[in-house]
């Protein structure tokens, strides 16, 4: 999904890099070695408490209206007691011994902050019984080994940073700089949830949204820029972003605005030569999937994209019934057209003659002008009624793009065939 968004990681399991491997399951020896170092220095200890005991502690705290926390019981086990439990193969986790006192640090977004986590929390688990690290140990070890200089992460980790700084201190490592970013919330202020199927990036990919539009919307909801404006690309976002301008206020994500953001970016993609080629290929694949054996010329698809530029919110809009006439001939009942005017055949002849006399493509404005001029010869039919008749004959719809646009989209030859099918000589 990051690659789809145009922001692929510099190093990752897929691309590799100097700090490989990039999967926790392949770095367990590294975490175990660091955990052993903490055990050897007394900064960590083995905890043999059973899940049942931990659950009882939790229930007792809830009953007393207190915040559940581990009581650090195993911190006080003697080396002999630990050896006895290990000799019986008693299961255990490894906990980090929190030092009392506040841990001040300067966050690049929230400024100077401090938390005395030992006064409100029990010693945290850093290595679980299955041998896997918790986030507290893994993020410290990985960031140190990968020479990470700056950590930008969600504000929910701000309080836990005190634990991580204590871990860096216990290991004698220099910590990176931290910047905690405000959370992205629903527009009503509630938290985004995995239960909301439409917050997964895949949902927007499959729904036909452009990565530029989604990035633009999210950054407009957030902060870090001198001013918010629609239509920014990734290159522009990179140039404009300043970490110091990031506010501490949560960003409200208004997804109702996404179609309009996508319309703006889709328009830019249609304007761009290279991106338009991509769109033509994508639409051609979508049409083949929708209409199966349909074979369409790329020039026809490109012409339609250019004509509908600014009107489409998503490329997939062109697969809707509203635009089906572009790809397949509509079923038009002649009696419906006769209700509009009795001069249908004359109108058809005028338009067919116009198209036959102008073999080369006419511009939209020129064709509009020619239609208006020639249809003045129709005495008993209003221009608006003539347009409605032509639109229905070409598309099967009463409403839609202008008749001139339909004629250009379909091409002269196809337009003539459709008109003559409805009004045969």
């Amino acid at each position: 999904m990051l690659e789809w968004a145009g922001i692929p990681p510099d190093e990752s399991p897929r691309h590799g890099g100097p700090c490989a491997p990039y999967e926790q399951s392949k770095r367990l020896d590294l975490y175990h070695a660091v955990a052993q170092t903490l055990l050897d220095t007394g900064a960590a200890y083995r905890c043999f408490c059973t899940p049942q005991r931990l659950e009882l502690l939790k229930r007792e705290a809830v009953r007393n209206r207190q915040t559940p926390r581990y009581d650090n019981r195993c911190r006080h086990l003697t080396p002999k007691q630990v050896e006895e439990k290990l000799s019986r193969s008693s299961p255990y986790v490894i906990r980090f011994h929190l030092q009392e006192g506040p841990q001040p640090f300067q966050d690049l977004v929230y400024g100077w902050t401090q938390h005395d986590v030992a006064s409100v929390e029990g010693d945290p688990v850093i290595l679980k019984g299955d041998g896997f690290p918790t986030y507290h140990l893994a993020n410290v070890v990985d960031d140190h080994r990968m020479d990470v200089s700056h950590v930008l992460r969600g504000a929910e980790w701000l309080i836990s940073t005190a634990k991580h700084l204590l871990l860096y201190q216990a290991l004698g490592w220099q910590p990176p700089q931290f910047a905690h970013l405000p959370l992205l919330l629903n527009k009503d202020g509630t938290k985004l949830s995995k239960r909301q199927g439409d917050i997964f990036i895949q949902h927007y990919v499959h729904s036909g949204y452009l990565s530029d539009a989604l990035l633009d919307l999210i950054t407009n909801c957030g902060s870090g820029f001198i001013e918010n404006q629609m239509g920014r690309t990734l290159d522009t976002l990179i140039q404009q972003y300043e970490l110091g301008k990031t506010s501490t206020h949560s960003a409200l994500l208004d997804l109702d605005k996404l179609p309009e953001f996508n319309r703006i970016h889709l328009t830019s993609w249609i304007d761009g030569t290279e991106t338009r080629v991509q769109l033509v290929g994508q639409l051609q694949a979508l049409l083949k999937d929708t209409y199966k054996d349909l074979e369409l010329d790329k020039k026809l698809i490109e012409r339609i994209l250019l004509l509908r530029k600014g009107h489409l919110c998503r490329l997939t809009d062109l697969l809707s019934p509203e635009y089906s006439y572009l790809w397949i001939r509509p079923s038009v009942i002649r009696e419906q057209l006769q209700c509009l005017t009795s001069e249908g055949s004359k109108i058809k002849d005028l338009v067919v003659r116009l198209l036959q006399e102008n073999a080369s493509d006419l511009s939209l404005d020129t064709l509009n002008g020619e239609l208006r001029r020639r249809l003045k010869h129709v005495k008993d039919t209003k221009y608006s009624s003539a347009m409605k008749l032509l639109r229905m004959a070409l598309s099967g719809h009463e409403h839609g793009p202008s008749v001139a646009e339909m004629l250009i989209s379909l091409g002269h030859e196809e337009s003539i065939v459709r008109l003559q099918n409805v009004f045969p000589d």
Side-chain angles (χ1 to χ4, degrees):
M1 292 299 98
L2 286 171
E3 290 176 352
W4 169 79
I7 44 177
D10 297 305
E11 304 171 34
S12 70
R14 184 176 297 181
H15 297 291
C19 299
Y22 293 93
E23 296 171 72
Q24 281 192 357
S25 60
K26 297 178 181 177
R27 297 170 66 84
L28 296 183
D29 288 346
L30 182 60
Y31 306 128
H32 291 174
V34 173
Q36 187 60 51
T37 298
L38 293 170
L39 286 171
D40 294 342
T41 60
Y45 59 90
R46 293 178 176 87
C47 173
F48 298 91
C49 291
T50 63
Q52 291 79 8
R53 181 177 186 273
L54 297 176
E55 182 62 27
L56 286 173
L57 284 175
K58 181 179 178 180
R59 289 181 182 178
E60 184 69 18
V62 171
R63 186 164 61 247
N64 295 326
R65 297 182 179 179
Q66 297 174 343
T67 303
R69 57 184 291 186
Y70 178 57
D71 61 359
N72 302 337
R73 176 182 179 180
C74 289
R75 183 199 286 184
H76 308 291
L77 293 175
T78 64
K80 184 177 180 180
Q81 289 173 316
V82 172
E83 285 302 321
E84 288 176 355
K85 290 181 180 294
L86 289 174
S87 67
R88 297 197 300 268
S89 298
S90 299
Y92 65 87
V93 298
I94 295 179
R95 291 183 182 271
F96 178 61
H97 184 159
L98 291 176
Q99 299 297 318
E100 294 183 359
Q103 290 294 315
F105 72 97
Q106 186 169 25
D107 188 86
L108 297 177
V109 173
Y110 283 81
W112 279 101
T113 183
Q114 60 181 20
H115 299 284
D116 184 3
V117 286
S119 66
V120 293
E121 296 183 31
D123 292 336
V125 175
I126 57 172
L127 199 68
K128 297 180 288 185
D130 61 4
F132 275 77
T134 62
Y135 176 74
H136 301 306
L137 179 64
N139 93 87
V140 169
V141 173
D142 292 338
D143 288 350
H144 173 72
R145 290 296 294 259
M146 296 181 183
D147 294 322
V148 168
S149 60
H150 293 71
V151 174
L152 279 71
R153 60 187 180 186
E156 71 267 33
W157 290 106
L158 185 61
I159 294 176
S160 292
T161 304
K163 299 177 200 175
H164 304 153
L165 290 171
L166 285 169
L167 273 166
Y168 277 106
Q169 183 179 310
L171 292 163
W173 296 342
Q174 180 68 32
Q177 295 189 69
F178 290 95
H180 288 84
L181 307 176
L183 298 181
L184 200 58
L185 304 175
N186 290 312
K187 67 177 181 180
D188 61 0
T190 57
K191 283 190 175 182
L192 295 175
S193 168
K194 290 179 181 178
R195 288 188 293 274
Q196 297 168 253
D198 60 354
I199 69 163
F200 289 95
I201 303 298
Q202 290 94 326
H203 168 79
Y204 298 101
V205 177
H206 296 149
S207 297
Y209 288 102
L210 297 171
S211 58
D212 285 348
L214 196 57
L215 283 172
D216 195 9
L217 172 67
I218 292 171
T219 50
N220 263 275
C221 293
S223 57
F225 304 93
I226 298 174
E227 60 179 352
N228 285 343
Q229 60 192 71
M230 298 173 74
R232 288 184 297 207
T233 61
L234 181 58
D235 288 341
T236 306
L237 292 169
I238 291 170
Q239 291 169 9
Q240 293 185 359
Y241 181 68
E242 294 181 31
L243 182 60
K245 294 187 182 299
T246 305
S247 76
T248 58
H249 301 294
S250 294
L252 301 182
L253 183 60
D254 189 355
L255 290 168
D256 292 336
K257 295 180 180 178
L258 184 56
E260 177 58 16
F261 274 85
N262 208 71
R263 186 190 67 79
I264 291 170
H265 283 279
L266 184 56
T267 299
S268 297
W269 274 51
I270 293 172
D271 277 332
T273 304
E274 292 183 7
T275 46
R276 186 166 66 245
V277 170
Q278 292 181 46
L279 292 174
V280 169
Q282 291 172 22
L283 184 54
Q284 193 171 35
L286 288 168
L287 288 166
K288 281 184 178 179
D289 188 52
T290 303
Y291 294 103
K292 304 309 175 189
D293 298 327
L294 187 68
E295 289 292 336
L296 290 168
D297 179 55
K298 288 186 176 181
K299 290 190 178 299
L300 166 67
I301 295 176
E302 183 176 20
R303 185 166 70 234
I304 289 167
L305 285 175
L306 288 167
L307 286 166
R308 285 281 84 195
K309 182 181 71 176
H311 298 279
L312 300 171
C313 287
R314 295 179 296 170
L315 194 63
T316 50
D317 289 351
L318 288 170
L319 302 179
S320 67
E322 177 187 354
Y323 289 110
S324 62
Y325 73 91
L326 291 168
W327 323 116
I328 54 175
R329 288 176 184 170
S331 176
V332 181
I333 301 173
R334 189 176 182 184
E335 286 71 22
Q336 289 180 308
L337 303 180
Q338 290 175 335
C339 294
L340 296 171
T341 176
S342 59
E343 296 180 293
S345 293
K346 185 175 182 181
I347 293 170
K348 179 264 296 186
D349 290 338
L350 290 169
V351 175
V352 167
R353 193 174 305 122
L354 167 61
L355 297 176
Q356 290 172 336
E357 290 172 359
N358 295 272
S360 59
D361 290 338
L362 296 170
S363 70
L364 199 58
D365 288 340
T366 301
L367 187 51
N368 266 319
E370 280 296 310
L371 284 170
R372 187 171 290 276
R373 185 176 69 83
R374 298 206 180 198
L375 288 174
K376 286 180 180 178
H377 298 291
V378 181
K379 302 299 182 182
D380 299 325
T381 307
K382 291 182 178 179
Y383 181 74
S384 59
S385 297
M387 289 297 102
K388 182 179 286 188
L389 177 135
L390 289 168
R391 187 179 292 110
M392 286 190 68
L394 293 167
S395 69
H397 301 305
E398 287 189 31
H399 307 286
S402 69
V403 170
E405 182 179 325
M406 285 185 174
L407 292 170
I408 294 175
S409 296
L410 296 170
H412 290 190
E413 185 178 335
E414 176 64 20
S415 297
I416 291 171
V417 169
R418 292 190 183 192
L419 292 173
Q420 288 179 335
N421 282 344
V422 177
F423 300 104
D425 295 330

